[in-house]
Amino acid sequence: MSNIIMISGSSNTGSRLYGLMEVVSNHLKELGHAVEWIEVAELPAEDLIRANWNSTAIKEALQVVAAADAVVIASPVYKAAYTGVLKTFLDLIPQKGLENKVMLPLFIGGSLAHLLSIDYALKPVLSSLGATHILQGVYAVDLWVEKQEGGGFSLSEELAERLQRACEQLHLVL
């Protein structure tokens, strides 16, 4: 069993991104992995903005990342890149803090126009933090994730299958 951390760069817990994250988390648990979440927007904003490495909350979040075998990085796409909320957290990870970790990016955006945001915006930053094993990420379009009236999300069949394949790929390399 591997320890997997899911990092959410969404500032909105009602975001469709959580539909993707819940599916991935459930698949990984079914495959026998321990899954924890870090919701960056729940960390103290001033500590993130001021890069306060002495903050207890920041130290604890960074320890969770350090102990992980794999990291799922999830973010909505705004202005052709991941969120600033996520960037503030990535800036606090030590220079080689993602070394020897398997990375799985999950992005969601308003259209396919931002399909390459994982490759051009996120992967260079992950590489600079020591990540060398970055799996092909999953990019989704908002329309493929429907909010349910009673809560939760419904995903298109194709997206659900792509997320399952990504989880199986992550499982195989761990």
Side-chain angles (χ1 to χ4, degrees):
M1 174 173 72
S2 296
N3 182 24
I4 300 172
I5 185 69
M6 297 185 68
I7 300 174
S8 170
S10 179
S11 58
N12 177 1
T13 55
S15 167
R16 286 176 170 81
L17 177 68
Y18 283 93
L20 277 67
M21 293 180 70
E22 288 171 3
V23 166
V24 167
S25 179
N26 290 338
H27 279 314
L28 293 172
K29 288 176 182 176
E30 288 171 8
L31 292 168
H33 301 286
V35 179
E36 268 187 89
W37 290 41
I38 293 176
E39 295 183 43
V40 178
E42 298 299 318
L43 294 172
E46 186 164 338
D47 291 343
L48 287 167
I49 298 298
R50 296 191 182 276
N52 182 2
W53 283 276
N54 293 318
S55 160
T56 301
I58 299 298
K59 284 180 182 179
E60 289 172 358
L62 293 175
Q63 287 172 351
V64 169
V65 173
D69 300 303
V71 180
V72 177
I73 300 272
S75 180
V77 175
Y78 301 127
K79 310 290 187 218
Y82 52 90
T83 63
V85 171
L86 180 58
K87 180 67 165 105
T88 60
F89 184 69
L90 293 176
D91 286 345
L92 295 174
I93 295 175
Q95 190 62 41
K96 295 296 178 186
L98 298 179
E99 197 169 49
N100 300 318
K101 297 185 188 313
V102 180
M103 308 297 298
L104 175 61
L106 299 177
F107 275 22
I108 190 166
S111 74
L112 285 174
H114 301 295
L115 179 65
L116 296 175
S117 58
I118 291 173
D119 291 328
Y120 292 111
L122 183 66
K123 283 185 179 180
V125 174
L126 298 180
S127 294
S128 76
L129 293 172
T132 55
H133 199 155
I134 305 170
L135 300 176
Q136 181 176 351
V138 175
Y139 179 89
V141 175
D142 287 339
L143 294 174
W144 301 344
V145 183
E146 183 180 332
K147 290 184 180 182
Q148 299 296 300
E149 205 168 294
F153 302 91
S154 173
L155 279 59
S156 73
E157 186 176 329
E158 179 187 346
L159 177 57
E161 289 173 2
R162 288 176 50 222
L163 290 170
Q164 184 171 357
R165 283 194 307 270
C167 290
E168 290 167 359
Q169 182 184 20
L170 177 58
H171 174 72
L172 288 173
V173 298
L174 286 175

